[in-house]
Amino acid sequence: MAQLILSLDSEILAEYKMEKERFTIGRLLGNDVRIDHPSVSGHHALIINILHDSYLEDLRSTNGTYVNGSMVRKHALQHGDLITCGLHQLRFLDGAPHPEEQSGFASTIVIPPNTLPPLDLPTATDMASPIEAHATLHILSGPSAGRQLPLKKSVTTVGRPDTQVAAIHRHSHRYYLTHVETMAGALHPTVNDVPIGSQAHPLNDQDVITVAGIKMAFFLT
């Protein structure tokens, strides 16, 4: 099933499964993808899904609709196309298997907070350092090798849905890795090649995390 991943300034905001033939994008209530920003028209764009093909149409929007940087009126969408509406972007995924991406990295994926595992984290009084921590993930393997992902949010999810997903929690002055889901029979995510358990695992500077087969280096900054 085709999907759209909504982002702003490289931060993923939402994920939509296109379960019907017509899928609308715009600022007003009633749109399938509502982007509440003045740079987006009330009814900005439309995607029509016909069997295994998807077609994008600009609805005479004020600021135009762009695909991969080029303004379009109508466009046959391809897997990975980046749609821009105002300041926001939508990544189109056609839902078909793409073997060349099996070793890739899904930067962050949206997971409802109530599905994350409960954490048993130390209280602020247990922390030795009064300095607020900041950290970055450096992707070491796969097609996204070399990419850097600042860990600015309280929870950042990494991995591949239906394969393996982990969450990095920022708590007071530390970061913790927790297991969210893993396909049957597979090991939990690892830190320095050691599988983590069901509890939150504290991360240290230069730890190497492996999630869904992708290696990432954790750096405190």
Side-chain angles (χ1 to χ4, degrees), residues 13-33:
L13 304 179
E15 180 178 331
Y16 302 89
K17 292 184 178 180
M18 293 193 288
E19 299 175 324
K20 57 184 184 178
E21 182 177 308
R22 296 172 65 86
F23 214 78
T24 59
I25 303 166
R27 190 182 69 254
L28 297 179
L29 290 172
N31 283 287
D32 298 294
V33 176

Side-chain angles (χ1 to χ4, degrees), residues 16-58:
Y16 302 89
K17 292 184 178 180
M18 293 193 288
E19 299 175 324
K20 57 184 184 178
E21 182 177 308
R22 296 172 65 86
F23 214 78
T24 59
I25 303 166
R27 190 182 69 254
L28 297 179
L29 290 172
N31 283 287
D32 298 294
V33 176
R34 188 188 178 213
I35 305 175
D36 188 12
H37 192 276
S39 65
V40 177
S41 296
H43 298 286
H44 197 105
L46 168 70
I47 296 176
I48 299 175
N49 300 300
I50 303 175
L51 297 177
H52 301 296
D53 296 316
S54 298
Y55 302 91
L56 173 70
E57 180 179 351
D58 178 74

Side-chain angles (χ1 to χ4, degrees), residues 4 47 56 65-67 77 81-85 88-90:
L4 291 174
I47 296 176
L56 173 70
T65 301
Y66 295 77
V67 175
L77 288 168
D81 276 350
L82 189 64
I83 304 165
T84 301
C85 298
H88 289 69
Q89 295 181 317
L90 289 154

Side-chain angles (χ1 to χ4, degrees), residues 79-144:
H79 178 74
D81 276 350
L82 189 64
I83 304 165
T84 301
C85 298
L87 301 179
H88 289 69
Q89 295 181 317
L90 289 154
R91 179 74 69 180
F92 173 77
L93 306 177
D94 64 11
H98 294 272
E100 70 277 6
E101 296 181 358
Q102 291 305 304
S103 60
F105 172 76
S107 59
T108 57
I109 57 178
V110 177
I111 297 178
N114 60 6
T115 67
L116 294 173
L119 296 181
D120 180 15
L121 300 178
T123 62
T125 56
D126 296 329
M127 302 298 179
S129 172
I131 301 174
E132 184 179 6
H134 299 277
T136 303
L137 281 183
H138 293 227
I139 313 306
L140 303 178
S141 65
S144 297

